[in-house]
Amino acid sequence: MAEQQEQAAADAMMTRIGQVAMLLHGGDREEARSRFLDLWTEIGEDGDALHRCTLAHYMADAQDDPSDELAWDLRALSAADTLTDGPTDGPTDGPTDARTDARIAEHQHSLAVRAFYPSLHLSLAVDYANLGRSEAARSHLRRARDTVGVLGDDAYGDGVRAGIGRLELRLDEEGPSGGAPEPMPGQTPGQTPGQGRGPGGETLGPPRQRP
């Protein structure tokens, strides 16, 4: 019963994050930032890593300052890195053992975040490119390409792969020394980095599809 209650609470938090994300996508960025901060406080710095990863990745889109956007995307990556695969406890008594349930849930979270990594690194690459830090952008772009193999041949996977390709072209055009960042496809001059990023920098991933 306790495990079921914990799972229900986890699902409720993902739903609440998704509801605020809908508010953000509807254009109310200020209200979305305020509600995301409230949820961030509720989750806590040491709270569920999948919740922190998902919320921080969305929160990055709500920022007007490129540096703040980068800071939230870095928080998302840090949260993802805390999730581990495999068993963490000793032998269990059977498939219904509470420790087994916890390990299965942890494994599922880990799988979800592993599929999230290409989008996490692509978003960070876009953040650094928008700040004129081309070397850091290229580093995260390489990581995005190295991890994109976990994605399927579907609309989401195709979108991330296309975004990687577009950012590669953009960085190649800017040259090794970087330069003034140009708008991503679908982003107009003067638009903040978190707006209209589309597949080239959109914060997409499995956790976003759950709410």
Side-chain angles (χ1 to χ4, degrees), residues 118 122 141 144-145 148-168 199:
L122 176 57
L141 190 59
R145 183 166 289 287
V148 79
V150 301
L151 302 181
D153 293 327
D154 52 22
Y156 166 67
D158 291 344
V160 173
R161 283 184 284 269
I164 291 172
R166 280 194 294 271
L167 186 56
E168 284 177 337

Side-chain angles (χ1 to χ4, degrees), residues 25 57-58 60-61 73 116 119 123 197-198 201-205 208:
H25 293 158
H57 207 26
Y58 274 126
D61 275 353
D73 273 332
F116 207 16
S119 179
S123 292
R197 285 205 276 181
E202 190 175 6
T203 49
L204 296 168
R208 287 175 172 263

Side-chain angles (χ1 to χ4, degrees), residues 65-133:
D65 187 315
S67 296
D68 291 337
E69 185 174 12
L70 171 63
W72 281 104
D73 273 332
L74 286 172
R75 289 185 181 101
L77 180 63
S78 177
D81 286 341
T82 66
L83 286 171
T84 59
D85 238 338
T88 55
D89 291 322
T92 61
D93 298 328
T96 60
D97 187 279
R99 288 175 296 174
T100 299
D101 292 339
R103 288 163 57 192
I104 291 173
E106 179 181 303
H107 180 71
Q108 290 172 337
H109 279 192
S110 181
L111 290 176
V113 172
R114 189 156 55 240
F116 207 16
Y117 270 114
S119 179
L120 287 170
H121 285 296
L122 176 57
S123 292
L124 281 164
V126 172
D127 293 342
Y128 281 118
N130 287 334
L131 289 167
R133 298 171 60 181

